[in-house]
Amino acid sequence: MRIIVHTGKGGVGKTSISAATALRCAEMGLKTIVISTDTAHSLADSLEKEIGPEPVQLYPNLWAQEVDARYSMDKYWGLFQKYMVALFSKQGVEDVVAEEVTILPGLEEGAHLLWINKYVKEGQFDVLVVDAAPTAETLRLLSLPDVTRWWFERIITLTRGVSKVIRPISKLMRRGDAMPDEAAFGQVEQLFDTLDSVRQLLTNSEMSSIRLVVNPEKMVIKETQRTYTYLNLYGYATDAILCNRIIPPQVTDPYFAHAKTKQQENMAFIGEAFGELPLFKAPMFGQEVGGLDTLRTLANELYGDKNPAEKMFDGRTHTIESKGDGNFVLNVPLPFANKDDMDLYRSRDELTLRVGPYRRNIVLPYALWDLEIGDAKFEQSTLRIQFVKDPHSAKQRA
């Protein structure tokens, strides 16, 4: 099974591209489902079909679903939440408020991930296309297994048997005997096992690909670039950039002349920002993209004769390793490069690398902003840049 996740800044056309990609896969004979994980669903509008919280077949080999987070919440979190709501309610908290505060952080968004696990386990589809939320929400979603595991291990398990913590909590709540039964804890543990399983699926580059949707606008590209860096940090494989809404050459109206020039400049910037990642292009259409006919046209423009379910890129244009002491190493593969022909420039949140006539612009994650470059080495066709708290000690170690 192949999992393709489309994400990008809001308004760039992720939903249309997700629907077009799913339609192309279906018409190539692959049993395909496209699901929306954006709380502001627009997948039904793009397909011009009625769909809902359960999969609906729309076309031969094509199913669609707009995930209902509340339904998934009740299914995977309901038993434990009922206990927590009852406990808070006994302490005078209104039922409605209690229900809201007992939702595990990020779980409403995480409910979408649980469907991915279900479809992979059941094996009834060849391709799963995910129309993901805008970039910031998607990053929170993809980091959810790590965040929620921390929440569970440090907070929930306290109520299971750490007596020195239980006593003050019980005294504060005046309810020392109200403990969840094993069935409730079992449901929570099953939930986290499922989230961990999804994490493994999405970081398996042979099965899953993240594809970044952009428009040829500087602000959009910069945000998407930052997303790409964070995806690398979390271990998710990005295999393509999909650039949407390019003003086509046949548009000669002077009104669009300046916009076309800026777009051409920004297309060059995409090459600097994302290195060797394959770039697929789709034009701006003279009409709204919606319905199977226009989605089919969009797929033709994007992919030509190529199968969207194929893995588009093998490898990563850069990776970031934590050294465990607050220091990091940024690795940038540069095959065929000559170290005598390299220049490195750094601002607080960006790194610009020049190799001959070409430039790479890498947006740094927040964890690296206040660190210094301690050392940079070019070894085995890879530039390795150390980011350290104390650059003097790093150079001495090197």
Side-chain angles (χ1 to χ4, degrees), residues 137-196:
E137 293 177 46
T138 298
L139 285 172
R140 285 198 298 270
L141 188 64
L142 294 177
S143 63
L144 185 67
D146 294 332
V147 175
T148 52
R149 177 63 73 181
W150 183 96
W151 194 90
F152 176 61
E153 290 177 349
R154 303 231 180 1
I155 306 297
I156 294 295
T157 53
L158 293 180
T159 66
R160 204 176 190 179
V162 186
S163 58
K164 65 180 181 179
V165 179
I166 286 294
R167 274 194 290 272
I169 290 178
S170 299
K171 184 178 180 181
L172 179 65
M173 292 186 168
R174 303 172 191 169
R175 187 71 183 174
D177 59 343
M179 300 296 292
D181 60 24
E182 287 303 309
F185 275 117
Q187 188 182 57
V188 177
E189 289 180 317
Q190 181 185 10
L191 168 66
F192 286 106
D193 289 343
T194 303
L195 289 172
D196 285 340

Side-chain angles (χ1 to χ4, degrees), residues 35-50:
I35 69 172
S36 170
T37 68
D38 193 343
T39 50
H41 295 301
S42 56
L43 185 59
D45 297 328
S46 182
L47 292 163
E48 293 187 350
K49 301 283 186 180
E50 280 196 24

Side-chain angles (χ1 to χ4, degrees), residues 13 52 66 80 103 107 147 161 169 172-173 177 208 214 239 251 255-256 270 284 300 324 335 362 381 385:
E66 290 181 334
F80 192 86
I103 295 175
L107 188 61
V147 175
I169 290 178
L172 179 65
M173 292 186 168
D177 59 343
S208 303
V214 300
D239 76 345
V251 175
Y255 180 82
F256 292 98
I270 289 174
M284 179 183 292
N300 289 337
I362 299 172
S381 299
I385 305 169

Side-chain angles (χ1 to χ4, degrees), residues 23 34 71 85 97 135 138 145 147 164-165 173 179 258 294 301 317 331 378:
L23 178 61
V34 55
Y71 171 81
V85 169
V97 177
T135 46
T138 298
V147 175
K164 65 180 181 179
V165 179
M173 292 186 168
M179 300 296 292
H258 179 69
T294 55
E301 293 285 352
T317 61
N331 299 304
F378 186 63

Side-chain angles (χ1 to χ4, degrees), residues 26-100:
E27 292 188 332
M28 296 188 81
L30 300 169
K31 200 172 179 183
T32 304
I33 182 169
V34 55
I35 69 172
S36 170
T37 68
D38 193 343
T39 50
H41 295 301
S42 56
L43 185 59
D45 297 328
S46 182
L47 292 163
E48 293 187 350
K49 301 283 186 180
E50 280 196 24
I51 57 179
E54 292 289 338
V56 176
Q57 185 169 8
L58 307 177
Y59 190 75
N61 291 323
L62 179 61
W63 283 256
Q65 177 185 14
E66 290 181 334
V67 175
D68 185 317
R70 280 291 169 178
Y71 171 81
S72 304
M73 286 277 295
D74 290 342
K75 180 176 180 180
Y76 289 98
W77 184 243
L79 191 59
F80 192 86
Q81 193 189 15
K82 282 184 177 67
Y83 158 75
M84 295 296 285
V85 169
L87 182 61
F88 277 114
S89 297
K90 286 188 175 88
Q91 314 311 316
V93 179
E94 292 289 337
D95 288 356
V96 175
V97 177
E99 183 175 345
E100 293 299 321

Side-chain angles (χ1 to χ4, degrees), residues 330-335 342 377-384:
L330 171 66
N331 299 304
V332 186
L334 297 170
M342 294 182 188
K377 293 182 179 180
F378 186 63
E379 304 171 326
Q380 299 177 335
S381 299
T382 300
L383 180 63
R384 307 182 195 281

